[in-house]
Amino acid sequence: MSSKKLIFTLLLLSVAYYLKAQTSLDSIQHLDEVIVTAKRFKEVIPAQKLSKEELQMLNSFSVADAIRYFSGVQVKDYGGIGGLKTINIRSMGTHHVGIFYDGIQLGNAQNGQIDLGKFSLENMEEISLYNGQKSEIFQPAKDFGSSGSVYLCSRIPKFKKGQHSHFKAGIKGGSFGLINPSFLYEHQLNDKISASLNAEVINSSGKYKFRYRRVYPNTGQVMYDTTATRKNGDVYSLRLETGLYGNITDGFWRIKAYFYHSNRGIPGAIVNNRWLNSQRQTDRNFFMQGSIQKSLGKRWDIQLKTKYAYDYMNYVNPDTTLMLIDNTFKQQEGYFSMAGKYSITSFWDISLAGDIQYNTLRSNMDGFVYPKRLTSLTAAATAIEWGKLKIQASILATLVKERIHSGNTARDDSVKAAPNKQEFTPALFLSYKPFNRHHLNFRAFYKRIFRMPTFNDLYYTDIGNVALKPEYTNQYNLGFQYDKNFTKGLIRQFHIQADVYYNEVTDKIVAVPKGSGQYRWMMMNLGYVEIRGIDASSSVMAALPYGILLNLKLSYTYQKAQDFTHRSSEILEELTYGGQIPYIPWHSGSVISSLTYKTWQLNYSFIYVGERYHSSANIREDYEQPWYTHDMAVIKNFNLKKCDMRLSAEINNLFSQDYEVVLNYPMPKRNYKLAFSIEI
């Protein structure tokens, strides 16, 4: 850990202990949790959510594993515990997804991708997915700036009456040489302030057996069929989180510090009989963020948020037969947001939010320029609840300024910073409830938004193009939701929702050949994609005989995502024009279920991903077969005096299916996990 990160963490812990020392134990009282102080929440487009209880039902190791159970989502998984995992919502691309951790967006100005495999479920309270944007006008301007958003909410300290501290420790072990200890400590410093410290270590060899089989597409004759062991997938990671949580009159405040370190192998693709790769990657991520929210009288609400983040990444390829690489990248980000909401009447609110974000990137690469980006965002929004009709509308103004300097080479005057960009993007959300006595809602929304080219898109040596324009999406959605509760009978709760949608991605950033050289590329705005789809999900809770409780959750997605990009080659355009874009299945779905009997629980989950292609040329050679996995777990809860204990046994990929999410990156066959935790 660098001295800067260590100082930040120690400073936060020192503040916590200082506040604790200033408070006598006699003054400590039980405090009911306060989440928000806003007077109303006009939810127009409800989120897909997985609560803490539902997350515990899944045999999921990371946030990426859990998100696969949402409809309309594709997760690219490059295999194993340490493999890269990124999310794509409704086929618009990874770069159009905003990932928010405790209300503030995670950033990566270098390549725009957030590796969700880094984020553990151990300290997660809830995961929410929003299409378009969160149905809330009282939020930072950044929250309006993505085509889809995922909100990760970590645990907030909770104390029972008369309790002033809480401790939880656990350990998991299993296949791939996995050892995964963790602990959580929470303490109530006084009647308004609490603190928490959470730590987790993951150590795994990452080795697993897989079957590699290939056939000639024209004849069906077997080309390869062998069983091998996946290597260089080892990972060691350490996650530390600490936080302070306070309540004030008509409001609250939060401070959090987060540190993540990992050293992992990159197993690479299996091609040309190459079974072992030697590339390695080291990551160190640190951020410190804070927020405060307060009501000023009956009509005004205000919130402030700020963040500093430092990300370090070192990529090493020691294989001199290819190219010796030892590249280091260092990113820094500063962020500040201020938002206010005013209630004009009992049914009409308006809000205004302004954000400032500053990003820098440094590297030891030859010829690298040091880009700096200043982004200002201003969002004006309104929400009206008029009887059975709810309306939310917003417009986001984005101004981006960039500059570069020489970095580690002499200044090349031919390299210029990307020009300033100014964009205005609107959104409109509607919801209508036709019946007072029935929880049936119809909803619709339109949103136009964009994503900025990343630093790699603009400045990567000999590939970047500073003339790139933003990549736009247009989203159209129409859907409904119905909920019903029953006091008697077998079924106690029932929920169903479905949406049909049409999306366009214009000025899509793609890599195209540069000049006559087949191995020289440049980023260009040439792509155009149309997506038509259906998302549907349903859940049921049933009270079965003998005191057995059943929870069942189903999801289904249909997507026709066509690539209408014009190519320079007529032959290539004939093959790809109108084809399903890579790795997007026409059909996919999932099942989550649990049976609970007294202190026992049996969980089952299933994921299906239908046929797809790994290129826009939907030809036989690029065809990818459907895959599916079955996971099961048995859980037993114990109680010994004041200790709550939990023991679980898990089986993943129950039928040991051989499959690949990404071509030439085989996934693990059947594997196992044992977990034990204790809470005091």
Side-chain angles (χ1 to χ4, degrees), residues 42 44 347 384-391 429-434 442:
K42 298 181 175 68
V44 178
F347 60 86
I384 299 174
E385 187 173 356
W386 201 340
K388 299 177 180 180
L389 179 66
K390 295 180 181 180
I391 303 173
F429 293 76
L430 304 171
S431 175
Y432 180 69
K433 182 181 179 182
F442 295 95

Side-chain angles (χ1 to χ4, degrees), residues 52-319:
K52 179 177 68 174
E53 292 74 22
E54 290 174 316
L55 291 172
Q56 290 177 347
M57 290 163 51
L58 305 176
N59 294 10
S60 298
F61 193 77
S62 68
V63 167
D65 299 327
I67 285 178
R68 296 183 303 170
Y69 291 92
F70 288 134
S71 60
V73 166
Q74 301 85 39
V75 174
K76 277 192 175 180
D77 191 332
Y78 292 83
I81 292 177
L84 175 67
K85 297 172 175 63
T86 60
I87 181 178
N88 179 11
I89 297 177
R90 290 186 171 180
S91 304
M92 289 178 289
T94 299
H95 299 88
H96 290 281
V97 181
I99 309 295
F100 295 80
Y101 197 91
D102 287 342
I104 298 180
Q105 187 171 5
L106 299 168
N108 187 341
Q110 180 185 359
N111 58 38
Q113 296 185 354
I114 303 298
D115 182 4
L116 292 176
K118 294 180 180 179
F119 298 95
S120 171
L121 295 176
E122 188 63 32
N123 193 38
M124 207 60 61
E125 194 76 13
E126 183 181 80
I127 300 175
S128 306
L129 184 147
Y130 290 86
N131 292 300
Q133 63 197 38
K134 182 191 283 189
S135 292
E136 168 67 270
I137 66 168
F138 186 39
Q139 59 187 6
K142 286 283 287 183
D143 292 48
F144 295 89
S146 303
S147 301
S149 303
V150 174
Y151 285 80
L152 310 177
C153 298
S154 65
R155 179 185 175 113
I156 296 175
K158 301 175 183 178
F159 303 97
K160 299 177 182 178
K161 189 173 182 179
Q163 184 187 42
H164 307 300
S165 62
H166 175 257
F167 177 79
K168 179 182 178 181
I171 187 167
K172 299 176 184 177
S175 302
F176 326 125
L178 172 66
I179 300 176
N180 176 206
S182 64
F183 83 89
L184 168 71
Y185 178 70
E186 299 171 334
H187 189 79
Q188 191 177 41
L189 303 175
N190 59 33
D191 60 346
K192 292 187 177 181
I193 300 174
S194 59
S196 71
L197 177 64
N198 181 238
E200 181 181 26
V201 172
I202 298 174
N203 189 56
S204 172
S205 68
K207 295 181 179 179
Y208 57 87
K209 292 187 179 297
F210 66 94
R211 182 184 180 185
Y212 186 75
R213 187 175 188 272
R214 290 291 184 269
V215 298
Y216 292 102
N218 295 328
T219 64
Q221 183 180 357
V222 175
M223 186 188 318
Y224 299 107
D225 191 354
T226 186
T227 299
T229 300
R230 192 76 157 136
K231 298 180 180 179
N232 199 44
D234 61 293
V235 59
Y236 170 82
S237 70
L238 168 67
R239 176 180 59 86
L240 293 171
E241 292 185 56
T242 182
L244 283 173
Y245 309 84
N247 295 315
I248 56 178
T249 303
D250 296 326
F252 63 89
W253 56 267
R254 309 276 188 262
I255 299 175
K256 175 178 282 285
Y258 178 99
F259 174 75
Y260 176 85
H261 166 82
S262 72
N263 189 319
R264 52 182 166 169
I266 302 176
I270 296 176
V271 292
N272 298 327
N273 280 325
R274 184 180 179 88
W275 305 97
L276 177 63
N277 291 273
S278 52
Q279 293 91 343
R280 301 198 64 81
Q281 181 171 317
T282 300
D283 292 281
R284 284 195 292 271
N285 310 108
F286 170 81
F287 67 77
M288 187 171 184
Q289 64 185 40
S291 64
I292 184 169
Q293 182 172 316
K294 181 175 174 59
S295 294
L296 306 175
K298 295 181 179 180
R299 293 181 179 270
W300 282 98
D301 294 282
I302 188 171
Q303 68 173 215
L304 304 175
K305 295 188 177 184
T306 187
K307 175 182 178 180
Y308 168 77
Y310 175 86
D311 297 318
Y312 168 93
M313 191 266 279
N314 175 240
Y315 171 79
V316 177
N317 180 8
D319 190 349

Side-chain angles (χ1 to χ4, degrees), residues 316-568:
V316 177
N317 180 8
D319 190 349
T320 55
T321 61
L322 297 174
M323 179 185 294
L324 180 62
I325 299 175
D326 187 354
N327 290 337
T328 298
F329 300 90
K330 300 176 182 179
Q331 296 188 64
Q332 294 191 78
E333 178 181 302
Y335 171 75
F336 178 77
S337 171
M338 181 175 183
K341 180 172 72 71
Y342 179 71
S343 298
I344 299 175
T345 68
S346 61
F347 60 86
W348 186 10
D349 294 346
I350 58 173
S351 72
L352 183 66
D355 296 7
I356 292 290
Q357 181 173 303
Y358 185 64
N359 295 91
T360 66
L361 176 64
R362 302 173 69 87
S363 175
N364 65 344
M365 289 181 62
D366 291 337
F368 191 82
V369 296
Y370 293 170
K372 299 179 180 181
R373 174 179 291 175
L374 178 65
T375 306
S376 64
L377 305 100
T378 304
T382 184
I384 299 174
E385 187 173 356
W386 201 340
K388 299 177 180 180
L389 179 66
K390 295 180 181 180
I391 303 173
Q392 287 185 2
S394 63
I395 186 166
L396 175 66
T398 306
L399 176 63
V400 180
K401 296 182 178 181
E402 298 191 9
R403 61 188 180 93
I404 60 174
H405 66 273
S406 58
N408 53 18
T409 60
R411 177 62 184 257
D412 183 356
D413 292 335
S414 65
V415 180
K416 305 292 184 181
N420 297 341
K421 296 178 176 63
Q422 182 173 317
E423 305 289 341
F424 294 88
T425 47
L428 177 64
F429 293 76
L430 304 171
S431 175
Y432 180 69
K433 182 181 179 182
F435 309 109
N436 291 327
R437 298 181 59 185
H438 300 281
H439 296 284
L440 174 65
N441 288 277
F442 295 95
R443 69 274 188 109
F445 77 81
Y446 163 76
K447 183 173 184 179
R448 177 172 172 82
I449 199 64
F450 69 95
R451 69 98 167 172
M452 281 293 299
T454 66
F455 283 158
N456 280 358
D457 293 335
L458 295 167
Y459 306 113
Y460 201 90
T461 306
D462 203 38
I463 295 177
N465 178 7
V466 297
L468 286 174
K469 296 181 290 185
E471 184 179 297
Y472 274 94
T473 65
N474 290 289
Q475 299 171 262
Y476 305 84
N477 187 98
L478 181 64
F480 79 93
Q481 175 176 320
Y482 177 72
D483 295 277
K484 180 70 173 179
N485 294 328
F486 303 88
T487 57
K488 297 181 180 180
L490 180 67
I491 306 298
R492 297 300 174 89
Q493 290 181 1
F494 175 75
H495 163 84
I496 186 171
Q497 67 178 26
D499 293 88
V500 295
Y501 54 89
Y502 170 73
N503 301 331
E504 294 177 330
V505 183
T506 57
D507 288 329
K508 190 168 181 65
I509 299 171
V510 296
V512 298
K514 178 181 179 182
S516 58
Q518 294 184 1
Y519 299 100
R520 301 182 65 203
W521 298 82
M522 175 174 281
M523 310 306 296
M524 298 289 288
N525 291 105
L526 291 179
Y528 174 65
V529 174
E530 292 182 1
I531 304 115
R532 296 165 178 84
I534 300 172
D535 288 347
S537 63
S538 180
S539 62
V540 174
M541 186 176 74
L544 303 180
Y546 306 105
I548 299 175
L549 186 66
L550 168 67
N551 281 283
L552 180 64
K553 192 168 188 176
L554 311 173
S555 71
Y556 167 76
T557 299
Y558 167 79
Q559 288 190 76
K560 187 177 183 180
Q562 295 175 281
D563 184 353
F564 290 107
T565 301
H566 292 286
R567 266 79 177 186
S568 56

